[in-house]
Amino acid sequence: MTDRSGHNPAAGFRKDVVGYCDPLSVRAGETVHFKLSRYGEGVITADVVRLSSGDDRPHGTGLIEEIVAADLVPRDVGLEVSHQPLRPGSYALVKDFPPVASGSLQLYCQPTLVDARRQTLVCNGTLLLQVSALGFYAVWATGELFLDTAVVSQRWYKVRLTLGVDSRLEVTRYAAGRAETDRTDQTEPTTGCSFPGGDLYFAASAPGEGHFNGRLEAPMVVAGEPGGSTEVVAHWDFAADIPAQTVTDISANAYHGRLFQNPTRGVCGHLWDGSVQAYAQRPAHYGAIHFHADDFTDAGWHNTLSWQTPRNLSSGQYALKLLVWAEGEIVSDEYVPFFVRPGQGQRRNKVAYLVPTATYLAYANQRLAFVPGPFGSRRLHHANDAFLFAHKEVGFSMYEYHADGSGVHYSSRLRPILNMKPKTGTWAFNADTHITAWLDQRGEPFDVLTDEDLHLEGAAALAGYRVVITGTHPEYYSTRMRNGLSDWLGRGGRLMYMGGNGFYWRVAFQPDNPAIMEVRRAEDGTRAWIARPGEYYHQFGGEYGGLWRRLGKPPNELVGIGFAAQGFDGGTYYRPAAGLSSDAYARIAFILQGISNAEVWGNYGSQGGGAAGEELDRWDAELGSPAHAVIIASSENHKPGMLRVKEEFHMMEPLGEDPKVRADMVFFEVPGGGAVFSTGSISYAGSLAHAGYTNDIATITNNVLSRFLDATPFPMPGDPVQV
Ligand SMILES: [Fe+2]
């Protein structure tokens, strides 16, 4: 793959095997299944490692791992791995559709990416109904119809194909505005078009073939001779069961179908007129399904290797480590991380690291690092980015667009995720290993659990833990995750929020498959794309999407601070708060024990050179930050690129000194004896390891964890002191 100048930036990087696993989180004693695919030659050896740090940059914490199960296959034989394809493209499949010799097929369609290629609207055996920029086509074993009409993206069309002796194609183009009128064209009649019967596809000819980009609505098949009686064979109502991966035939024959690769549902159909905004209010306006040739939520690979975790395996962050060898040398590697919780009935540690897997899904396979612009450059830095660059078919993150220009609403862990690994950029997963590395360096035993576990189990997933530690960027929260964390905190929990821009977007998980996550980027916020009008409600569960801040549950209420600013041109330091009351000082004295008398903290670190950087959160009473929270320190002197979040601008104004661009490090007590410590910065964890963990940031963090581990309740300020 080359760019315009003929240069191949991926040259020189090797990735000979890639994989994913299912489940991502198991309890000790349960089995993880690894699904791998081969892309190059070589003998593959397989170990399981406990992964402490994946930051292998020269100035990073290093790659720190420990083998816990060596040689899952004999080294001289190697692991047998075949190539398994990545086949993107969503579609609907109705099995065993009957032959229909005479009658009609009708549907509504809105193409969103028309070009010279033919895209398939409906396929049944040899019968194809297709569209291209030039017109509509019906093709069958013995004949063909072509309706010559310019097809335009984003326009709705009603397509009617008559079957039998009077086979013809009739297309009504709906007007785009008041100055136009609807227009109907039709072909000359011919004969012999029919449904041969068998598997019926919508939006594809077969998996991976002829995929359609656009919306389909209300397909209907009617049987009957011209002039005689007719019978509805099937009439699919795409507004029925919108949260599900099924399509419903509302005729008496019940030819229901299934959806594959998560096309977008809960989207506006041809009837939508702006009178409602939620599909639940008037489903008839939401009768469309939006298919994309590049939708991809399940690679569907078979298991290459399964590993039953030992019953006594410590809870933690692990990875299958694959090395590819040629002539006695390692030529490439692959890590497939997974998370192990304590086994049923096994003793738990006091500390839980809540792995932000929802964030990992949102960023899964994001390519911003090598798209020239504010977040990256054309240069590829490692084999994982090189694979992403060369293999679009591995699917997108929620920060990207489909080829037709619509935002990517779904992400999934049932596919290789090239940036959820060690030895990648230090964002999300790999940046979070700064936290696991710190806990290990401290010698702190800790359990892990994932966002998915929290979503499925709510507060029960956290019960029994005294301290919960977040990752650097726990940005995506479902309602059940947020309620679960909040409920646990209300029962005396102690929460260490170790990052920035947390608890920001509401997300939803597929009801019958939590491996798949949905976001609707509604109305406002720092958005990679914007959901279309009328489409702000999640398909999964029907909740209104968007920022938790706009939904009345700002992060400030939960963790004392909320998203304030973003910038990637370097970090800075925190300045300890001046003039704290003696009462406030007494409440945070435990945090300040043993720190140096430096004027500022954290003016160092591997993430942009300072503990305060990338994305920042600040205390703000107007946004629900607790009044009794103590601001321990605030960042200052940010680089010019650190700009306030757009959701706080009512209209544009010249930028100047902005006192609201800052990270606030806060502490506050919660009713029930618990407490929250929040760092307010994504870069914070990158400063922990500075000077061999001998620094103020590490000391502060260690002090917080040590006190949070102590069962002594935190009294609320003003409460009578218990004696
Ligand atoms: Fe983010």
Side-chain angles (χ1 to χ4, degrees):
M1 205 160 159
T2 55
D3 62 19
R4 274 188 211 128
S5 63
H7 169 66
N8 178 3
F13 292 109
R14 273 188 78 155
K15 196 79 187 169
D16 297 294
V17 58
V18 296
Y20 62 97
C21 68
D22 190 40
L24 184 58
S25 169
V26 294
R27 292 186 177 276
E30 293 174 350
T31 299
V32 196
H33 303 286
F34 298 99
K35 295 142 188 291
L36 310 174
S37 177
R38 184 184 274 279
Y39 279 79
E41 300 299 312
V43 174
I44 300 172
T45 59
D47 302 314
V48 172
V49 296
R50 183 178 178 278
L51 184 66
S52 186
S53 167
D55 178 7
D56 66 338
R57 299 171 302 170
H59 61 293
T61 46
L63 180 68
I64 307 172
E65 61 188 0
E66 179 197 346
I67 292 182
V68 295
D71 297 332
L72 300 190
V73 290
R75 291 183 84 78
D76 48 339
V77 181
L79 180 64
E80 196 167 312
V81 180
S82 56
H83 180 74
Q84 306 201 58
L86 295 161
R87 211 180 270 146
S90 57
Y91 60 94
L93 172 61
V94 178
K95 302 289 280 182
D96 302 323
F97 195 67
V100 181
S102 180
S104 67
L105 159 69
Q106 179 187 295
L107 55 75
Y108 298 85
C109 76
Q110 184 192 42
T112 51
L113 184 66
V114 284
D115 54 26
R117 290 168 302 175
R118 292 194 194 183
Q119 301 177 33
T120 300
L121 305 172
V122 180
C123 173
N124 178 228
T126 52
L127 173 65
L128 288 167
L129 180 65
Q130 296 178 310
V131 65
S132 80
L134 305 175
F136 289 86
Y137 311 78
V139 182
W140 60 99
T142 57
E144 183 172 16
L145 287 166
F146 170 55
L147 185 74
D148 184 354
T149 180
V151 178
V152 184
S153 288
Q154 314 300 337
R155 185 73 65 94
W156 277 103
Y157 298 84
K158 182 166 86 177
V159 184
R160 187 179 156 83
L161 173 63
T162 314
L163 311 169
V165 292
D166 187 25
S167 302
R168 71 175 76 204
L169 249 178
E170 180 183 295
V171 173
T172 301
R173 187 176 86 177
Y174 287 95
R178 295 176 69 121
E180 277 187 59
T181 51
D182 298 350
R183 205 184 88 193
T184 300
D185 297 303
Q186 61 177 330
T187 60
E188 292 298 317
T190 179
T191 188
C193 182
S194 68
F195 276 88
D199 289 350
L200 175 71
Y201 288 89
F202 291 111
S205 313
E209 285 175 35
H211 284 278
F212 171 63
N213 292 284
R215 297 182 178 192
L216 295 181
E217 182 169 2
M220 179 163 69
V221 178
V222 174
E225 302 293 336
S229 65
T230 58
E231 181 219 341
V232 176
V233 180
H235 185 189
W236 292 277
D237 179 5
F238 290 170
D241 302 320
I242 283 175
Q245 299 304 310
T246 52
V247 291
T248 304
D249 173 13
I250 54 173
S251 83
N253 298 320
Y255 287 113
H256 306 311
R258 273 190 57 75
L259 292 167
F260 294 86
Q261 306 298 357
N262 287 85
T264 312
R265 302 192 73 174
V267 295
C268 300
H270 78 287
L271 293 174
W272 188 72
D273 59 4
S275 60
V276 291
Q277 301 292 319
Y279 66 76
Q281 281 180 290
R282 197 174 297 165
H285 284 210
Y286 290 85
I289 297 179
H290 194 142
F291 298 89
H292 300 92
D294 50 13
D295 278 327
F296 193 56
T297 52
D298 191 354
W301 289 354
H302 63 70
N303 299 335
T304 311
L305 179 71
S306 297
W307 188 59
Q308 184 179 7
T309 58
R311 257 173 209 294
N312 61 354
L313 186 67
S314 305
S315 175
Q317 173 171 271
Y318 294 88
L320 176 70
K321 178 182 181 180
L322 303 166
L323 295 176
V324 182
W325 301 75
E327 291 165 14
E329 305 268 322
I330 297 166
V331 292
S332 68
D333 64 23
E334 166 70 340
Y335 287 80
V336 184
F338 59 97
F339 303 94
V340 179
R341 301 169 72 188
Q344 295 286 1
Q346 203 170 313
R347 203 181 67 86
R348 289 178 167 194
N349 285 304
K350 291 177 186 165
V351 176
Y353 166 49
L354 176 56
V355 188
T357 51
T359 292
Y360 302 166
L361 281 195
Y363 282 98
N365 291 339
Q366 66 93 2
R367 293 163 172 84
L368 299 175
F370 47 85
V371 173
F375 308 108
S377 67
R378 190 162 283 126
R379 231 185 103 210
L380 297 172
H381 291 93
H382 43 75
N384 290 310
D385 268 0
F387 186 92
L388 272 182
F389 177 83
H391 296 277
K392 259 197 164 164
E393 69 276 14
V394 75
F396 299 116
S397 73
M398 290 172 154
Y399 286 78
E400 283 151 287
Y401 293 88
H402 291 289
D404 72 356
S406 50
V408 175
H409 288 40
Y410 304 93
S411 183
S412 163
R413 58 172 175 75
L414 299 176
R415 57 176 174 150
I417 300 178
L418 279 298
N419 57 350
M420 194 175 79
K421 296 182 187 305
K423 300 170 81 173
T424 62
T426 47
W427 187 259
F429 176 87
N430 212 24
D432 290 344
T433 68
H434 294 148
I435 293 170
T436 47
W438 159 66
L439 285 165
D440 285 343
Q441 185 276 339
R442 179 185 152 101
E444 188 67 48
F446 64 96
D447 293 350
V448 304
L449 76 161
T450 66
D451 281 351
E452 191 175 315
D453 299 320
L454 177 59
H455 174 77
L456 293 175
E457 299 169 24
L462 302 172
Y465 289 116
R466 193 164 290 158
V467 184
V468 168
I469 298 176
T470 74
T472 60
H473 191 25
E475 180 178 7
Y476 292 82
Y477 262 70
S478 71
T479 302
R480 274 150 62 177
M481 286 166 59
R482 199 186 182 290
N483 290 345
L485 187 58
S486 176
D487 290 351
W488 168 83
L489 192 57
R491 293 172 202 153
R494 285 90 189 263
L495 178 63
M496 294 177 72
Y497 167 34
M498 293 290 289
N501 185 212
F503 316 97
Y504 189 62
W505 288 105
R506 173 186 260 174
V507 289
F509 290 87
Q510 186 170 310
D512 61 349
N513 188 354
I516 295 166
M517 188 176 91
E518 176 184 19
V519 72
R520 298 271 167 153
R521 302 197 187 275
E523 289 190 65
D524 208 344
T526 301
R527 294 163 296 177
W529 43 263
I530 300 174
R532 291 195 186 168
E535 298 177 3
Y536 291 174
Y537 288 80
H538 293 126
Q539 177 200 346
F540 302 150
E543 286 181 329
Y544 189 65
L547 300 189
W548 278 111
R549 168 178 175 160
R550 294 183 58 82
L551 297 167
K553 298 269 182 192
N556 308 65
E557 284 183 8
L558 186 68
V559 291
I561 54 179
F563 196 24
Q566 182 187 55
F568 297 94
D569 52 347
T572 177
Y573 53 83
Y574 294 83
R575 185 176 291 281
L580 287 180
S581 69
S582 57
D583 169 62
Y585 187 82
R587 285 163 53 211
I588 62 159
F590 75 93
I591 299 173
L592 306 179
Q593 274 172 24
I595 64 164
S596 72
N597 53 11
E599 283 197 7
V600 298
W601 303 334
N603 203 7
Y604 41 76
S606 64
Q607 295 296 105
E614 298 176 297
E615 295 182 4
L616 313 179
D617 293 4
R618 68 163 198 277
W619 183 92
D620 195 322
E622 280 183 36
L623 296 172
S625 292
H628 71 287
V630 180
I631 299 175
I632 305 159
S634 299
S635 68
E636 62 180 32
N637 202 16
H638 283 282
K639 301 276 191 305
M642 182 59 78
L643 299 176
R644 194 128 64 85
V645 292
K646 65 185 288 298
E647 55 266 32
E648 302 194 337
F649 289 91
H650 305 162
M651 55 186 91
M652 295 316 292
E653 48 193 85
L655 294 166
E657 192 75 359
D658 188 344
K660 291 192 171 184
V661 170
R662 61 172 204 271
D664 288 330
M665 186 191 296
V666 304
F667 164 80
F668 60 96
E669 305 84 348
V670 295
V676 176
F677 168 78
S678 295
T679 69
S681 158
I682 287 186
S683 297
Y684 183 95
S687 302
L688 287 165
H690 176 74
Y693 293 91
T694 314
N695 66 73
D696 291 330
I697 293 293
T699 304
I700 287 166
T701 318
N702 279 314
N703 287 342
V704 172
L705 179 51
S706 298
R707 172 61 184 90
F708 277 21
L709 279 165
D710 178 345
T712 311
F714 285 96
M716 289 295 284
D719 278 0
V721 178
Q722 305 278 325
V723 186

